[in-house]
Amino acid sequence: SEEAMHLARKVLLRGLVRRQHAGVESDAASVVRLWELGRWPDCHDTPLISEAFHFARTCWKAHIAGKAAARWSDPGAEQLSAQRVADEEALFGMFTQLEFWRLPPSELLSPWVPSQLLACKVAERCKELDEQRQRLVESNDNNLREINRLRQIVSQLFAKLEVVDSRSLHSMQKQREVVDTLQLLY
């Protein structure tokens, strides 16, 4: 159930934070493997997403700090560099699993949030706004067509009303003539 999954996510997150502070299995591969157990794309609880986002930021910060401290002149630098790229992609995947758009913008304003994530958020928002604008333009065009159609109908009805009014006036004149003629005869 959703409640059980919510509780499982909380326990998982607490365990990941404790492991991180203790330095136990805090490598990116282990963290990501455990992270996936939380099924984060299905999480809609903003406070929990905020907590998870903070954890992911801390992981990203540790990754960037480790990357900065690495010595590229080490004999295994190429293998280490490839591993860092893989870790970076895995950690970035953690961010993308969260519905981070639910968070207040202040939480996103951190040097430890991947810039690609912010660019994706801005691009996605621009796309949403463009689609909304397009729907409004289409709706406006449809409304204008409907207004023009209704104006034409009103125009036709008004013309028919004019004809009926003139016939009615003509009939009333005829009736008046008949009434006057009948009064003269009697």
Side-chain angles (χ1 to χ4, degrees):
S1 79
E2 186 60 33
E3 290 177 15
M5 194 62 213
H6 181 74
L7 182 61
R9 285 184 188 111
K10 279 186 162 189
V11 169
L12 174 66
L13 198 54
R14 299 300 184 280
L16 285 170
V17 169
R18 283 188 181 144
R19 292 163 67 105
Q20 187 180 53
H21 289 299
V24 177
E25 285 188 79
S26 60
D27 62 293
S30 298
V31 170
V32 170
R33 185 174 32 80
L34 292 172
W35 177 266
E36 290 173 358
L37 297 174
R39 291 192 243 160
W40 294 102
D42 298 331
C43 182
H44 308 297
D45 179 32
T46 303
L48 189 58
I49 291 171
S50 177
E51 232 180 291
F53 192 78
H54 179 74
F55 173 76
R57 268 193 343 227
T58 305
C59 290
W60 188 262
K61 180 180 179 180
H63 172 73
I64 297 299
K67 188 175 168 182
R71 296 198 173 141
W72 299 106
S73 61
D74 285 347
E78 277 185 34
Q79 185 179 4
L80 187 61
S81 176
Q83 183 59 45
R84 289 196 186 279
V85 169
D87 289 350
E88 194 166 308
E89 288 176 6
L91 290 173
F92 185 76
M94 288 172 51
F95 282 101
T96 61
Q97 290 179 13
L98 296 172
E99 290 185 354
F100 62 90
W101 52 267
R102 293 180 181 267
L103 301 175
S106 60
E107 286 196 43
L108 300 175
L109 299 176
S110 165
W112 307 119
V113 174
S115 56
Q116 307 94 313
L117 188 74
L118 299 176
C120 289
K121 179 180 171 88
V122 169
E124 184 177 336
R125 185 68 179 140
C126 286
K127 182 180 175 184
E128 288 172 6
L129 290 174
D130 190 49
E131 289 171 356
Q132 183 181 16
R133 182 197 57 80
Q134 186 62 34
R135 285 191 305 271
L136 287 173
V137 165
E138 289 172 9
S139 176
N140 188 39
D141 289 345
N142 291 337
N143 290 339
L144 286 174
R145 279 193 292 277
E146 183 67 13
I147 287 170
N148 288 334
R149 187 184 71 78
L150 291 173
R151 281 184 180 159
Q152 187 177 15
I153 291 172
V154 166
S155 218
Q156 290 171 350
L157 290 174
F158 187 73
K160 288 180 181 180
L161 184 61
E162 293 273 331
V163 169
V164 169
D165 278 348
S166 92
R167 285 182 185 164
S168 190
L169 188 59
H170 185 65
S171 287
M172 286 175 39
Q173 287 174 348
K174 288 286 187 182
Q175 284 177 352
R176 174 71 64 204
E177 288 174 10
V178 169
V179 168
D180 287 345
T181 306
L182 284 175
Q183 284 178 351
L184 287 175
L185 290 174
Y186 290 112

